[in-house]
Amino acid sequence: MTRGLFPLGGPVAKEDLVGREDFIISLVNRLSEGQSVMLAGPRRIGKTSLAHEVLRRLKEKGAYTAAVDFFRFSGKRDFATSLIDACLENRTGINRTLNILRDRAKALAGGAQFAIKLNDLEISFGFPEKNSDDELLDHALRLPGVLADRDEKLMVVMFDEFQDASRVTDTEIFKRMRAHFQAQKGVAYLFLGSKEGMMQTLFSGRKEAFYRFATMLPIPGIAEDDWVPYITQKFTSRNIRADEDVVKEIVRFSGGHPQDTMFLCSEVHYTLLETGDSVLTHDYVRLGYSRAMLALAPIFDEMLDDLSARHHVRRVLHQLAVGENAYQEGIHPNKVKRVIDHLINRAIIEKTARGSYVFVEPMFQRYILQQFQ
C-alpha cells in the first residue's frame, strides 16, 4: 500500500519519530527496571507514536506488552475485555483471544462454563456476557500481574487517554486500579493523557489514588536541528533538492509542532508534484504554507468559536499572540487569570515562566494574528 511521503493521522512508523531517540531510550530503561511513568501533553504531539515504539523495543528485549486506549471504549466491559485480550496476546499471538476462546468453548460445551488452558495459565470464568462487569474488570486488572508472575516476564501495560478512565467505567476506577497495581510484581505501567491538568492532579494530588505511583516526565520538544535532516532526507528520497535554509523556513512556519510540521511538509510536497518541479524553493514553502493554513482554517475556526464561549478569550488570545502582556487595563486581573488557566487546561498555551506563555500550536497563533488584521 502506497504511503504519503510525510505521515498524517495516527501513530507514525519508527523511522518517522523525529528527535525522540534519547527520550525513548530513557523510557525503555525506566520501564525495564519496573518504574511506572506518566506522560501528559496535548493531542497530536506524538505521545502515542512514541509509546508504541517504546513497547516495540521492550518486546524485542523479551518483555510482555499490552496497550489499551480509553478513547475507544464505550464502557467498563469493553475496557475489561480489551485489556484481557491485549494481555493474552503475549501468550497466544492472537489479537482477540477472548472471542476465539468463547467460540471454541461454545462449540464444545454448548454454552456452558469453560476453562481453557493456555500452557500453564488457566483462564476460568463464565462467558463474558454471563459475568458481571465488576467480575470481568477485576480479572482484567489482575491479569498483568498473573502473567508476569507465571511466565517470569516483565509486563509493561500502556494506558492511552488515562484521564478518561472514570468516564468510561466509574468514579471508583482509579482506587480499584491502584489496589490491584500496587500488589503486582514485575509489572510497569505507562500512563498517557492529553488533559495535562487532570493528569497532573491524578498523579500529584495527595488525596488521589495514583498519588506518586508513577514518575511524571515532560515530553521534550523537537529541535530544528532534528527536523532539518529528517525533512531534507524525505525530499531527497523523491529526488527533490531541498537546501537547508529552505527547510528551516518550513520549521519556522510550523514552529516544530509534530503534526503541523508533517502537514506543512506534505502540502509543500503536493505543491511540487503539481508543478512538476524538483527543487524546493522559498516560494514553494510559502505556497504550501498558504494551502496548509487554508486547510486548517475550519479546524481553527471551530477551536476559536469553542474557546470564545468564555468572556474575554479572544482579547487575551490576541494579546498573547502579539507578545503583549495579557494583564492590561479594562479587564479585572482575576478574569484574565481564569482565561489563561482555561487556555492552559485546553492545551492552547503553555506557561514558560512567570507571566510568560507560548502557544502549543504556533500555526494557531498565526491564525489568531490573521483574524485581527
Side-chain angles (χ1 to χ4, degrees), residues 101-119:
L101 293 180
R102 180 190 59 198
D103 293 344
R104 184 183 301 171
K106 279 183 176 179
L108 292 173
Q113 188 90 355
F114 71 86
I116 300 294
K117 199 171 181 67
L118 300 172
N119 295 331

Side-chain angles (χ1 to χ4, degrees), residues 39 47-48 51 158-163 190-193 199:
L39 305 178
K47 293 188 304 297
T48 303
M158 185 267 277
F159 292 118
D160 207 351
E161 297 298 348
F162 183 67
Q163 76 278 335
L190 179 57
F191 304 95
L192 310 184
M199 291 292 285

